[in-house]
Amino acid sequence: MAPKILIVTGDAAESLEVLYPYQRLREEGYEVDIAAPEVKTLRFVVHDFEPGFDTYTEKPGYTWPADIAFSEVDPGQYAALVIPGGRAPEYLRGDPELRKIVKFFFDADKPVAQICHGPLLTAAVDGLRGRRVTSYPALEPDMQSAGATFQDAEVVVDGTLVSARAWPDHSAWMREFLTVLRAKSPAL
């Protein structure tokens, strides 16, 4: 049986930041579950960068079914965790079930991939203190407040934590995450 990877997300997650790792990890031979506050069809968004805007724009994105609710997750059944960005992490960080899941992965030193606004979740469980990370650049003050050293780079690897700024960095993000993941839990 292939090792399982957990993606935690919700409505308003960035479409590419959920679906790229989902498909890439499945392609690599891992079983992947998407967890959300409840089992339902999730509504993702598309964040894009357009001339004349000071920040990204947001448009409706894909819909995708959640496989499992946070309350049903047994984190011990998963080899690694993926935390996509978008707006979802902002409200999900208040979910006590999700905080338990995220904390489990850090306490167990299992691989964690986070991107864009995803580090808001890891900051909520004090998982960034003393670590080097990247995130969407506007979160630099949040990363510093969480005790992390922020680096504006396409990918930053700190032990089993792999972070990236946003979807344009996907290739480097998944390449480095798969390097960490293969060392800890190779696909069969």
Side-chain angles (χ1 to χ4, degrees), residues 5-186:
I5 311 297
L6 183 65
I7 297 176
V8 293
T9 194
D11 288 329
E14 212 295 325
S15 293
L16 288 174
E17 293 173 3
V18 176
L19 296 176
Y20 181 80
Y22 176 80
Q23 293 169 336
R24 182 66 188 94
L25 292 164
R26 287 175 45 99
E27 176 185 53
E28 197 67 25
Y30 292 94
E31 186 178 327
V32 182
D33 286 339
I34 295 178
E38 62 182 286
V39 176
K40 68 172 196 165
T41 299
L42 298 169
R43 299 173 186 275
F44 300 145
V45 297
V46 172
H47 287 158
D48 207 353
F49 306 97
E50 296 184 24
F53 280 78
D54 291 334
T55 188
Y56 55 85
T57 62
E58 182 174 285
K59 299 169 187 71
Y62 293 106
T63 59
W64 199 265
D67 299 304
I68 188 169
F70 296 149
S71 62
E72 300 168 336
V73 170
D74 174 0
Q77 299 299 308
Y78 295 91
L81 177 66
V82 176
I83 306 172
R87 283 186 295 115
E90 181 181 339
Y91 72 89
L92 291 175
R93 63 186 164 172
D95 187 301
E97 293 294 329
L98 179 55
R99 286 196 310 267
K100 284 188 238 174
I101 293 167
V102 174
K103 185 169 178 8
F104 172 87
F105 283 90
F106 279 89
D107 289 349
D109 196 34
K110 290 189 174 190
V112 174
Q114 61 183 13
I115 191 166
C116 193
H117 285 71
L120 291 173
L121 286 176
T122 54
V125 300
D126 200 31
L128 301 181
R129 188 164 312 283
R131 292 189 176 261
R132 294 176 301 105
V133 299
T134 194
S135 65
Y136 188 69
L139 268 60
E140 180 178 358
D142 300 279
M143 299 300 95
Q144 292 170 339
S145 292
T149 300
F150 177 82
Q151 297 177 326
D152 188 6
E154 67 179 352
V155 66
V156 173
V157 179
D158 186 319
T160 56
L161 177 62
V162 181
S163 54
R165 294 175 298 200
W167 61 261
D169 300 331
H170 273 165
S171 297
W173 181 49
M174 279 294 107
R175 182 175 47 252
E176 295 301 326
F177 182 60
L178 282 165
T179 298
V180 170
L181 190 55
R182 287 179 188 128
K184 286 276 202 174
S185 278

